[in-house]
Amino acid sequence: MINHVVLFKLKGYPEAEKEAVLSKIKEALESLKDKIEQVKYLEVGLNYELNAKSYDVCLISHFESVSDLDIYRVHPDHLKVVELVQETTVERAAVDFEF
């Protein structure tokens, strides 16, 4: 199994707008588990502290193999979410590992 962990840092939105953007990203990411069969597990966590200097969003997803992760990476539904994330974030960090 492959564990795919991604962290995102949002642009400097005002607090009310940041909450709305976080909700939209969370909903978009969570929708992928029903659209892409290679996703075996998916969890999205939002940092409880809106003004933290750390990352704002954490995505944890599991795949049976690296090839399944590769299919996910280029899937059209995933690419739509990637566009949203790229429009709203300034930093991304990712780690993929076997477990």
Side-chain angles (χ1 to χ4, degrees), residues 71-82:
I71 291 168
Y72 164 81
R73 286 182 172 136
V74 297
H75 192 283
D77 289 312
H78 176 251
L79 294 177
K80 288 178 191 174
V81 175
V82 167

Side-chain angles (χ1 to χ4, degrees), residues 14-91:
E15 194 168 307
E17 189 177 354
K18 186 173 186 175
E19 287 181 15
V21 171
L22 285 169
S23 179
K24 188 174 182 178
I25 289 173
K26 185 176 193 306
E27 183 179 309
L29 288 168
E30 288 178 338
S31 75
L32 295 176
K33 65 184 164 191
D34 297 324
K35 295 177 180 176
I36 304 174
E37 69 178 82
Q38 287 77 14
V39 177
K40 300 307 175 195
Y41 171 83
L42 189 141
E43 179 180 5
V44 178
L46 303 179
N47 194 335
Y48 70 89
E49 189 176 344
L50 280 180
N51 296 314
K53 292 183 180 184
S54 57
Y55 287 89
D56 298 296
V57 181
C58 178
L59 166 68
I60 300 169
S61 51
H62 299 166
F63 300 87
E64 288 185 6
S65 65
V66 172
S67 60
D68 281 354
L69 175 59
D70 290 339
I71 291 168
Y72 164 81
R73 286 182 172 136
V74 297
H75 192 283
D77 289 312
H78 176 251
L79 294 177
K80 288 178 191 174
V81 175
V82 167
E83 284 181 32
L84 168 65
V85 169
Q86 288 177 338
E87 292 170 2
T88 57
T89 62
V90 292
E91 289 183 45

